[in-house]
Amino acid sequence: MQLKIYNSLTAEKEIFKPILEGNVGMYVCGPTVYSNVHLGNVRTFLSFDFIYRSLTHLGYKVRYVRNITDAGHLTDDGDVNNDRFVKQTRLEKLEPMEIVQKYTVDFHKVLDMFNLLPPNIEPTATGHIVEQIELTQKLIEKGFAYESNGSVYFDVLEYNARGLNYGELSKRNIEELFANTRDLDGQGEKKNPQDFALWKKASPAHIMRWNSPWGEGFPGWHLECTAMSTKYLGETFDIHGGGMDLKFPHHECEIAQGKACNGASPVNYWMHANMLTMNSQRMSKSTGNYILPMQLVSGENDFFEKSFHPTIVRFCFLQAHYRSVLDISNDAMLASEKGFSRLMEALKILNSITPNDEKQSGFSLEDWKTKCYDALTDDFNSPVLIAHLFEAVKFIFALKDDKETISTKDLEDLKSTLNAFVFDVLGLQNIEENNNEKLDQTLQVLIELRNQARKSKNFDLSDQIRDKLLAEGIELKDGREGTTYVLN
Ligand code: AMP
Ligand code: ZN
């Protein structure tokens, strides 16, 4: 089985060859924790969660690193008033690290809700200031960077003069870039408008600041990812991911920093996830065209007619390939909900099927498995994989109606393969099973409260608990072993 990955750098689907056989080093740009993540951000992280799960399922040992951007997210014009942390700090009158903590916790809660697995390492930009200063020094020593008025910039023209190619990922022509960029940043501090900041001098108003050989300041955004990916995955590693919008300038700058520092391209396979749109417009905080994950799950929004369980949202997202744009809509969510319950029903039916070793089945399990793995290894094609899973669903319903048969061996194989794809690879959750567990836990609490009421001779309350549950169709039965319940 050969895994093919679309490499944004070469714009081709390539056969995946890891640096160390059987192992994968993967870095994905994490969130800037200055506000709540919106559903669009979730889509990108979910795409890479699916890729991580798929690689693991295919037998790779993955070291998955996803950072937290918690230092000043430098804007193009370098204006301190545009630093996202400073802005939000003023607004909420909190310490910058209080903002960071608040939204990091929120980010984890949201990803947990959608059943995303945690990365193996989750480094923060503020925890790697020393490494970023060292990288900046190295770039100055090698002649790729220069200091100007307490800030340090990467010299894009020098980089190109040495035969390296700034713009290779975004396929931008340097002359074009020069013609189209205005020098807004640093009031003439830069040699060329395309030069980007590695280290930025902190103005008196800037709260997040660190000592450096160039005075007090803070690191540039692009540098943190180079520092952290190099530290945990090496100078060249297998996969780097992020949203499509990060290709330029963020990832372009990462390539330049890596090549300038180490003489080699830092990443073998660049993977970019496409955008989530709503009303056919990219979801984004700045335009106001966004929905927060909790608003969708709770139903408190004006866009969707009802609330949807996070696993339905996950299923909906995975029905689009990670490189395609996905427009979220009420109809798409309703269709996902319907498809999801059919899938869960099929899994339930599978447990009650009696195999038949005498009759020949019209369904070839081997062919079906091959098709599923072909889809998964074809650049992680989740919609095609899901379509194949539904062929199995159709077959299971035919088994139920005695229109098909299956051997004992195939039945076990189908069960384990389908369960692995649905729960391990797609990361879906069985809502019904979870609900049953919750119901049981809740009833145990009520039984305990009723016992306490009886002990303290509060029979009014204990009878009320019993009668109200009975009215809801839940009968409590007192026996020698304690109290049990029956759902009528
Ligand atoms: P940020 O916190 O702004 O750096 O964004 C975190 C991640 O979300 C990045 O990888 C972005 O590319 C991604 N992202 C932002 N907007 C969208 C969107 N509408 N759809 C999918 N991904 C997005
Ligand atoms: Zn990054």
Side-chain angles (χ1 to χ4, degrees):
M1 209 169 342
Q2 267 184 335
L3 172 61
K4 289 183 262 22
I5 293 183
Y6 180 87
N7 189 348
S8 306
L9 189 62
T10 57
E12 270 175 27
K13 236 186 245 178
E14 296 173 13
I15 291 171
F16 179 63
K17 287 197 200 85
I19 296 167
L20 189 64
E21 213 189 312
N23 290 262
V24 178
M26 177 163 95
Y27 185 93
V28 172
C29 293
T32 308
V33 282
Y34 72 105
S35 71
N36 305 93
V37 280
H38 59 67
L39 206 61
N41 303 131
V42 172
R43 184 187 178 205
T44 288
F45 297 123
L46 202 149
S47 293
F48 286 100
D49 179 67
F50 169 65
I51 290 165
Y52 173 43
R53 285 169 176 273
S54 302
L55 288 166
T56 308
H57 180 76
L58 293 170
Y60 291 104
K61 186 168 180 287
V62 188
R63 181 182 287 172
Y64 175 24
V65 183
R66 191 185 61 214
N67 70 302
I68 297 275
T69 297
D70 59 349
H73 191 145
L74 200 64
T75 54
D76 281 340
D77 56 6
D79 179 354
V80 69
N81 291 312
N82 282 332
D83 181 305
R84 296 187 194 178
F85 288 105
V86 175
K87 250 188 183 170
Q88 199 69 9
T89 302
R90 284 185 191 147
L91 215 64
E92 299 195 15
K93 295 198 171 45
L94 295 171
E95 271 297 308
M97 285 315 270
E98 211 172 340
I99 300 273
V100 163
Q101 177 67 8
K102 179 176 167 184
Y103 293 115
T104 304
V105 168
D106 173 76
F107 173 65
H108 287 152
K109 263 195 201 152
V110 167
L111 295 201
D112 201 40
M113 186 164 86
F114 291 101
N115 203 24
L116 271 76
L117 298 172
N120 303 101
I121 304 175
E122 194 171 46
T124 60
T126 55
H128 295 76
I129 300 291
V130 173
E131 288 83 349
Q132 294 177 77
I133 291 175
E134 278 172 10
L135 268 180
T136 307
Q137 280 173 317
K138 201 169 166 186
L139 288 166
I140 293 176
E141 276 162 29
K142 293 197 168 208
F144 284 105
Y146 57 91
E147 190 206 338
S148 176
N149 190 29
S151 294
V152 182
Y153 294 99
F154 188 94
D155 191 338
V156 173
L157 270 193
E158 175 62 27
Y159 180 76
N160 267 17
R162 297 201 203 175
L164 300 158
N165 175 18
Y166 186 72
E168 61 181 302
L169 176 69
S170 54
K171 320 286 178 243
R172 285 173 198 230
N173 179 314
I174 189 99
E175 277 77 34
E176 248 173 68
L177 283 173
F178 277 85
N180 294 331
T181 318
R182 287 179 301 148
D183 185 6
L184 290 168
D185 186 1
Q187 280 106 43
E189 280 178 4
K190 294 197 227 171
K191 285 192 198 166
N192 304 293
Q194 288 69 31
D195 293 352
F196 55 90
L198 298 169
W199 187 265
K200 196 73 192 151
K201 180 183 177 171
S203 70
H206 206 100
I207 308 166
M208 290 183 107
R209 55 206 298 143
W210 291 267
N211 266 327
S212 82
W214 316 284
E216 281 193 6
F218 53 96
W221 170 38
H222 315 309
L223 194 63
E224 66 173 271
C225 287
T226 298
M228 293 185 270
S229 60
T230 311
K231 177 161 181 173
Y232 300 110
L233 299 171
E235 290 174 359
T236 300
F237 55 96
D238 299 300
I239 298 175
H240 192 314
M244 212 71 123
D245 57 330
L246 299 187
K247 243 189 205 179
F248 188 87
H250 187 49
H251 293 159
E252 198 73 73
C253 295
E254 275 189 54
I255 295 182
Q257 288 163 167
K259 274 188 163 179
C261 249
N262 309 313
S265 200
V267 177
N268 286 345
Y269 301 85
W270 279 95
M271 297 182 75
H272 289 100
N274 217 327
M275 297 290 112
L276 183 73
T277 60
M278 194 162 81
N279 295 319
S280 307
Q281 253 184 28
R282 193 184 133 183
M283 198 170 278
S284 152
K285 275 252 165 102
S286 56
T287 58
N289 184 46
Y290 70 91
I291 183 164
L292 296 179
M294 266 325 280
Q295 293 175 318
L296 178 56
V297 167
S298 66
E300 283 162 22
N301 65 80
D302 301 327
F303 192 72
F304 295 90
E305 68 185 38
K306 63 186 277 297
S307 63
F308 291 97
H309 190 281
T311 212
I312 304 294
V313 184
R314 189 176 172 110
F315 190 48
C316 181
F317 281 6
L318 291 170
Q319 280 175 67
H321 186 235
Y322 77 90
R323 280 194 290 121
S324 308
V325 171
L326 169 64
D327 194 54
I328 191 153
S329 67
N330 201 57
D331 286 350
M333 290 297 297
L334 288 174
S336 294
E337 199 167 50
K338 224 168 136 190
F340 178 80
S341 31
R342 194 166 152 82
L343 187 58
M344 290 302 122
E345 204 183 330
L347 281 169
K348 209 158 126 192
I349 292 170
L350 206 51
N351 288 327
S352 57
I353 295 292
T354 316
N356 183 335
D357 291 319
E358 310 297 315
K359 277 196 183 160
Q360 183 76 22
S361 171
F363 184 83
S364 164
L365 195 70
E366 277 316 305
D367 287 355
W368 173 76
K369 273 170 72 174
T370 305
K371 282 194 280 183
C372 290
Y373 279 101
D374 281 351
L376 193 65
T377 54
D378 183 17
D379 194 28
F380 311 99
N381 201 325
S382 56
V384 173
L385 171 67
I386 291 170
H388 292 316
L389 297 188
F390 275 92
E391 283 169 26
V393 167
K394 204 171 151 200
F395 171 61
I396 293 166
F397 276 92
L399 284 173
K400 180 184 157 225
D401 297 338
D402 290 327
K403 290 183 182 140
E404 265 290 2
T405 59
I406 189 165
S407 68
T408 313
K409 186 176 144 290
D410 278 3
L411 180 61
E412 286 316 306
D413 202 358
L414 178 59
K415 265 187 204 168
S416 67
T417 311
L418 198 56
N419 273 287
F421 277 129
V422 170
F423 300 115
D424 302 345
V425 180
L426 295 178
L428 301 175
Q429 289 166 301
N430 194 333
I431 304 174
E432 212 175 279
E433 239 171 46
N434 285 353
N435 284 348
N436 285 346
E437 212 174 289
K438 286 248 161 63
L439 176 67
D440 182 64
Q441 286 161 355
T442 312
L443 286 173
Q444 295 307 338
V445 170
L446 284 170
I447 288 171
E448 173 59 27
L449 288 176
R450 178 169 166 263
N451 286 344
Q452 280 177 21
R454 285 207 292 190
K455 253 192 212 148
S456 53
K457 306 212 179 320
N458 188 348
F459 297 113
D460 228 21
L461 181 62
S462 66
D463 287 350
Q464 257 192 63
I465 294 175
R466 185 197 58 206
D467 296 344
K468 285 194 170 166
L469 283 175
L470 192 61
E472 297 299 330
I474 302 162
E475 190 183 345
L476 295 188
K477 291 193 166 181
D478 297 315
R480 234 185 276 159
E481 304 289 307
T483 307
T484 54
Y485 63 87
V486 181
L487 303 177
N488 297 320

PDB file of all heavy atoms in Angstrom, residues 27-30 67 69 221-226 228 240-242 246 250-251 254 270, ligand 2:
ATOM      1  N   TYR A  27       4.248  18.867  11.817  1.00  0.00           N
ATOM      2  CA  TYR A  27       4.049  20.140  12.524  1.00  0.00           C
ATOM      3  C   TYR A  27       2.854  20.867  11.921  1.00  0.00           C
ATOM      4  O   TYR A  27       2.754  20.987  10.699  1.00  0.00           O
ATOM      5  CB  TYR A  27       5.304  21.018  12.384  1.00  0.00           C
ATOM      6  CG  TYR A  27       5.245  22.298  13.180  1.00  0.00           C
ATOM      7  CD1 TYR A  27       5.764  22.362  14.474  1.00  0.00           C
ATOM      8  CD2 TYR A  27       4.672  23.458  12.648  1.00  0.00           C
ATOM      9  CE1 TYR A  27       5.716  23.535  15.213  1.00  0.00           C
ATOM     10  CE2 TYR A  27       4.619  24.635  13.387  1.00  0.00           C
ATOM     11  CZ  TYR A  27       5.141  24.668  14.668  1.00  0.00           C
ATOM     12  OH  TYR A  27       5.087  25.826  15.398  1.00  0.00           O
ATOM     13  N   VAL A  28       1.943  21.317  12.767  1.00  0.00           N
ATOM     14  CA  VAL A  28       0.784  22.077  12.282  1.00  0.00           C
ATOM     15  C   VAL A  28       0.716  23.400  13.052  1.00  0.00           C
ATOM     16  O   VAL A  28       0.847  23.410  14.281  1.00  0.00           O
ATOM     17  CB  VAL A  28      -0.532  21.268  12.477  1.00  0.00           C
ATOM     18  CG1 VAL A  28      -1.754  22.120  12.151  1.00  0.00           C
ATOM     19  CG2 VAL A  28      -0.529  20.011  11.593  1.00  0.00           C
ATOM     20  N   CYS A  29       0.544  24.504  12.309  1.00  0.00           N
ATOM     21  CA  CYS A  29       0.446  25.810  12.962  1.00  0.00           C
ATOM     22  C   CYS A  29      -0.813  25.856  13.818  1.00  0.00           C
ATOM     23  O   CYS A  29      -1.910  25.573  13.334  1.00  0.00           O
ATOM     24  CB  CYS A  29       0.381  26.932  11.927  1.00  0.00           C
ATOM     25  SG  CYS A  29       1.907  27.086  11.011  1.00  0.00           S
ATOM     26  N   GLY A  30      -0.634  26.217  15.066  1.00  0.00           N
ATOM     27  CA  GLY A  30      -1.763  26.245  16.004  1.00  0.00           C
ATOM     28  C   GLY A  30      -2.459  27.595  16.029  1.00  0.00           C
ATOM     29  O   GLY A  30      -2.192  28.455  15.193  1.00  0.00           O
ATOM     30  N   ASN A  67       1.607  24.068  17.709  1.00  0.00           N
ATOM     31  CA  ASN A  67       1.990  25.121  18.650  1.00  0.00           C
ATOM     32  C   ASN A  67       0.812  25.981  19.102  1.00  0.00           C
ATOM     33  O   ASN A  67      -0.282  25.908  18.564  1.00  0.00           O
ATOM     34  CB  ASN A  67       3.038  26.025  18.008  1.00  0.00           C
ATOM     35  CG  ASN A  67       2.430  26.862  16.913  1.00  0.00           C
ATOM     36  OD1 ASN A  67       1.876  26.348  15.962  1.00  0.00           O
ATOM     37  ND2 ASN A  67       2.480  28.178  17.064  1.00  0.00           N
ATOM     38  N   THR A  69       0.264  30.038  19.519  1.00  0.00           N
ATOM     39  CA  THR A  69       0.844  31.362  19.311  1.00  0.00           C
ATOM     40  C   THR A  69       0.338  32.274  20.428  1.00  0.00           C
ATOM     41  O   THR A  69      -0.813  32.689  20.423  1.00  0.00           O
ATOM     42  CB  THR A  69       0.461  31.910  17.923  1.00  0.00           C
ATOM     43  OG1 THR A  69       1.031  31.054  16.933  1.00  0.00           O
ATOM     44  CG2 THR A  69       1.001  33.320  17.711  1.00  0.00           C
ATOM     45  N   TRP A 221       6.244  36.606  14.165  1.00  0.00           N
ATOM     46  CA  TRP A 221       5.377  35.418  14.183  1.00  0.00           C
ATOM     47  C   TRP A 221       5.987  34.234  13.416  1.00  0.00           C
ATOM     48  O   TRP A 221       5.958  33.093  13.879  1.00  0.00           O
ATOM     49  CB  TRP A 221       4.023  35.822  13.585  1.00  0.00           C
ATOM     50  CG  TRP A 221       3.071  34.701  13.303  1.00  0.00           C
ATOM     51  CD1 TRP A 221       2.874  33.575  14.061  1.00  0.00           C
ATOM     52  CD2 TRP A 221       2.178  34.604  12.191  1.00  0.00           C
ATOM     53  NE1 TRP A 221       1.901  32.787  13.490  1.00  0.00           N
ATOM     54  CE2 TRP A 221       1.456  33.398  12.345  1.00  0.00           C
ATOM     55  CE3 TRP A 221       1.913  35.419  11.084  1.00  0.00           C
ATOM     56  CZ2 TRP A 221       0.496  32.999  11.426  1.00  0.00           C
ATOM     57  CZ3 TRP A 221       0.946  35.017  10.190  1.00  0.00           C
ATOM     58  CH2 TRP A 221       0.253  33.821  10.351  1.00  0.00           C
ATOM     59  N   HIS A 222       6.562  34.511  12.240  1.00  0.00           N
ATOM     60  CA  HIS A 222       7.073  33.408  11.405  1.00  0.00           C
ATOM     61  C   HIS A 222       8.187  32.627  12.092  1.00  0.00           C
ATOM     62  O   HIS A 222       8.359  31.444  11.871  1.00  0.00           O
ATOM     63  CB  HIS A 222       7.591  33.948  10.071  1.00  0.00           C
ATOM     64  CG  HIS A 222       6.674  34.939   9.446  1.00  0.00           C
ATOM     65  ND1 HIS A 222       5.341  34.692   9.267  1.00  0.00           N
ATOM     66  CD2 HIS A 222       6.894  36.195   8.969  1.00  0.00           C
ATOM     67  CE1 HIS A 222       4.778  35.746   8.707  1.00  0.00           C
ATOM     68  NE2 HIS A 222       5.694  36.673   8.519  1.00  0.00           N
ATOM     69  N   LEU A 223       8.944  33.348  12.934  1.00  0.00           N
ATOM     70  CA  LEU A 223      10.117  32.736  13.537  1.00  0.00           C
ATOM     71  C   LEU A 223       9.771  31.652  14.549  1.00  0.00           C
ATOM     72  O   LEU A 223      10.473  30.656  14.669  1.00  0.00           O
ATOM     73  CB  LEU A 223      10.958  33.836  14.214  1.00  0.00           C
ATOM     74  CG  LEU A 223      12.369  33.443  14.608  1.00  0.00           C
ATOM     75  CD1 LEU A 223      13.180  33.084  13.381  1.00  0.00           C
ATOM     76  CD2 LEU A 223      13.045  34.570  15.376  1.00  0.00           C
ATOM     77  N   GLU A 224       8.647  31.835  15.255  1.00  0.00           N
ATOM     78  CA  GLU A 224       8.325  30.864  16.312  1.00  0.00           C
ATOM     79  C   GLU A 224       8.153  29.456  15.746  1.00  0.00           C
ATOM     80  O   GLU A 224       8.588  28.479  16.340  1.00  0.00           O
ATOM     81  CB  GLU A 224       7.078  31.290  17.099  1.00  0.00           C
ATOM     82  CG  GLU A 224       5.812  31.269  16.285  1.00  0.00           C
ATOM     83  CD  GLU A 224       4.558  31.533  17.117  1.00  0.00           C
ATOM     84  OE1 GLU A 224       4.010  30.564  17.632  1.00  0.00           O
ATOM     85  OE2 GLU A 224       4.142  32.702  17.223  1.00  0.00           O
ATOM     86  N   CYS A 225       7.511  29.365  14.573  1.00  0.00           N
ATOM     87  CA  CYS A 225       7.256  28.026  14.025  1.00  0.00           C
ATOM     88  C   CYS A 225       8.554  27.369  13.576  1.00  0.00           C
ATOM     89  O   CYS A 225       8.730  26.166  13.742  1.00  0.00           O
ATOM     90  CB  CYS A 225       6.236  28.094  12.894  1.00  0.00           C
ATOM     91  SG  CYS A 225       4.575  28.388  13.535  1.00  0.00           S
ATOM     92  N   THR A 226       9.491  28.169  13.027  1.00  0.00           N
ATOM     93  CA  THR A 226      10.792  27.611  12.655  1.00  0.00           C
ATOM     94  C   THR A 226      11.521  27.131  13.915  1.00  0.00           C
ATOM     95  O   THR A 226      12.077  26.033  13.940  1.00  0.00           O
ATOM     96  CB  THR A 226      11.646  28.672  11.917  1.00  0.00           C
ATOM     97  OG1 THR A 226      10.952  29.023  10.724  1.00  0.00           O
ATOM     98  CG2 THR A 226      13.022  28.149  11.566  1.00  0.00           C
ATOM     99  N   MET A 228      10.303  26.210  16.882  1.00  0.00           N
ATOM    100  CA  MET A 228       9.699  25.051  17.562  1.00  0.00           C
ATOM    101  C   MET A 228       9.727  23.789  16.706  1.00  0.00           C
ATOM    102  O   MET A 228       9.935  22.698  17.213  1.00  0.00           O
ATOM    103  CB  MET A 228       8.287  25.399  18.003  1.00  0.00           C
ATOM    104  CG  MET A 228       8.288  26.467  19.082  1.00  0.00           C
ATOM    105  SD  MET A 228       6.667  26.811  19.745  1.00  0.00           S
ATOM    106  CE  MET A 228       6.117  28.106  18.677  1.00  0.00           C
ATOM    107  N   HIS A 240       4.455  19.492   7.092  1.00  0.00           N
ATOM    108  CA  HIS A 240       4.064  20.746   7.750  1.00  0.00           C
ATOM    109  C   HIS A 240       2.686  21.098   7.240  1.00  0.00           C
ATOM    110  O   HIS A 240       2.444  21.133   6.037  1.00  0.00           O
ATOM    111  CB  HIS A 240       5.059  21.854   7.406  1.00  0.00           C
ATOM    112  CG  HIS A 240       4.894  23.082   8.270  1.00  0.00           C
ATOM    113  ND1 HIS A 240       3.658  23.636   8.540  1.00  0.00           N
ATOM    114  CD2 HIS A 240       5.792  23.850   8.927  1.00  0.00           C
ATOM    115  CE1 HIS A 240       3.818  24.690   9.320  1.00  0.00           C
ATOM    116  NE2 HIS A 240       5.117  24.844   9.574  1.00  0.00           N
ATOM    117  N   GLY A 241       1.765  21.363   8.171  1.00  0.00           N
ATOM    118  CA  GLY A 241       0.393  21.690   7.776  1.00  0.00           C
ATOM    119  C   GLY A 241      -0.081  23.016   8.316  1.00  0.00           C
ATOM    120  O   GLY A 241       0.539  23.615   9.199  1.00  0.00           O
ATOM    121  N   GLY A 242      -1.208  23.440   7.765  1.00  0.00           N
ATOM    122  CA  GLY A 242      -1.852  24.680   8.211  1.00  0.00           C
ATOM    123  C   GLY A 242      -2.948  25.025   7.228  1.00  0.00           C
ATOM    124  O   GLY A 242      -3.120  24.335   6.210  1.00  0.00           O
ATOM    125  N   LEU A 246      -2.299  30.457   5.237  1.00  0.00           N
ATOM    126  CA  LEU A 246      -0.990  30.632   5.875  1.00  0.00           C
ATOM    127  C   LEU A 246       0.177  30.438   4.903  1.00  0.00           C
ATOM    128  O   LEU A 246       1.332  30.661   5.240  1.00  0.00           O
ATOM    129  CB  LEU A 246      -0.828  29.667   7.059  1.00  0.00           C
ATOM    130  CG  LEU A 246      -1.821  29.816   8.209  1.00  0.00           C
ATOM    131  CD1 LEU A 246      -1.411  28.916   9.371  1.00  0.00           C
ATOM    132  CD2 LEU A 246      -1.885  31.263   8.709  1.00  0.00           C
ATOM    133  N   HIS A 250       3.308  33.470   5.832  1.00  0.00           N
ATOM    134  CA  HIS A 250       3.830  32.702   6.975  1.00  0.00           C
ATOM    135  C   HIS A 250       4.724  31.513   6.573  1.00  0.00           C
ATOM    136  O   HIS A 250       5.876  31.431   6.991  1.00  0.00           O
ATOM    137  CB  HIS A 250       2.667  32.238   7.846  1.00  0.00           C
ATOM    138  CG  HIS A 250       3.082  31.593   9.124  1.00  0.00           C
ATOM    139  ND1 HIS A 250       4.007  32.147   9.977  1.00  0.00           N
ATOM    140  CD2 HIS A 250       2.721  30.411   9.703  1.00  0.00           C
ATOM    141  CE1 HIS A 250       4.182  31.360  11.021  1.00  0.00           C
ATOM    142  NE2 HIS A 250       3.411  30.287  10.877  1.00  0.00           N
ATOM    143  N   HIS A 251       4.193  30.619   5.757  1.00  0.00           N
ATOM    144  CA  HIS A 251       4.982  29.423   5.423  1.00  0.00           C
ATOM    145  C   HIS A 251       6.131  29.723   4.462  1.00  0.00           C
ATOM    146  O   HIS A 251       7.184  29.090   4.515  1.00  0.00           O
ATOM    147  CB  HIS A 251       4.062  28.329   4.866  1.00  0.00           C
ATOM    148  CG  HIS A 251       3.111  27.803   5.904  1.00  0.00           C
ATOM    149  ND1 HIS A 251       1.946  27.158   5.602  1.00  0.00           N
ATOM    150  CD2 HIS A 251       3.168  27.860   7.267  1.00  0.00           C
ATOM    151  CE1 HIS A 251       1.327  26.821   6.729  1.00  0.00           C
ATOM    152  NE2 HIS A 251       2.042  27.245   7.747  1.00  0.00           N
ATOM    153  N   GLU A 254       8.817  30.757   6.642  1.00  0.00           N
ATOM    154  CA  GLU A 254       9.397  29.600   7.361  1.00  0.00           C
ATOM    155  C   GLU A 254      10.415  28.875   6.479  1.00  0.00           C
ATOM    156  O   GLU A 254      11.477  28.469   6.941  1.00  0.00           O
ATOM    157  CB  GLU A 254       8.310  28.611   7.765  1.00  0.00           C
ATOM    158  CG  GLU A 254       7.627  28.957   9.074  1.00  0.00           C
ATOM    159  CD  GLU A 254       6.710  27.848   9.544  1.00  0.00           C
ATOM    160  OE1 GLU A 254       7.168  26.696   9.656  1.00  0.00           O
ATOM    161  OE2 GLU A 254       5.523  28.125   9.769  1.00  0.00           O
ATOM    162  N   TRP A 270       4.464  19.838   2.173  1.00  0.00           N
ATOM    163  CA  TRP A 270       3.641  20.931   2.706  1.00  0.00           C
ATOM    164  C   TRP A 270       2.184  20.597   2.431  1.00  0.00           C
ATOM    165  O   TRP A 270       1.811  20.321   1.279  1.00  0.00           O
ATOM    166  CB  TRP A 270       3.997  22.252   2.014  1.00  0.00           C
ATOM    167  CG  TRP A 270       5.221  22.898   2.574  1.00  0.00           C
ATOM    168  CD1 TRP A 270       6.492  22.788   2.105  1.00  0.00           C
ATOM    169  CD2 TRP A 270       5.294  23.757   3.730  1.00  0.00           C
ATOM    170  NE1 TRP A 270       7.359  23.512   2.887  1.00  0.00           N
ATOM    171  CE2 TRP A 270       6.657  24.112   3.890  1.00  0.00           C
ATOM    172  CE3 TRP A 270       4.355  24.244   4.644  1.00  0.00           C
ATOM    173  CZ2 TRP A 270       7.087  24.953   4.916  1.00  0.00           C
ATOM    174  CZ3 TRP A 270       4.791  25.076   5.674  1.00  0.00           C
ATOM    175  CH2 TRP A 270       6.147  25.425   5.805  1.00  0.00           C
TER     176      TRP A 270
HETATM  177 ZN    ZN B   2       3.128  28.591  11.947  1.00  0.00          ZN
END
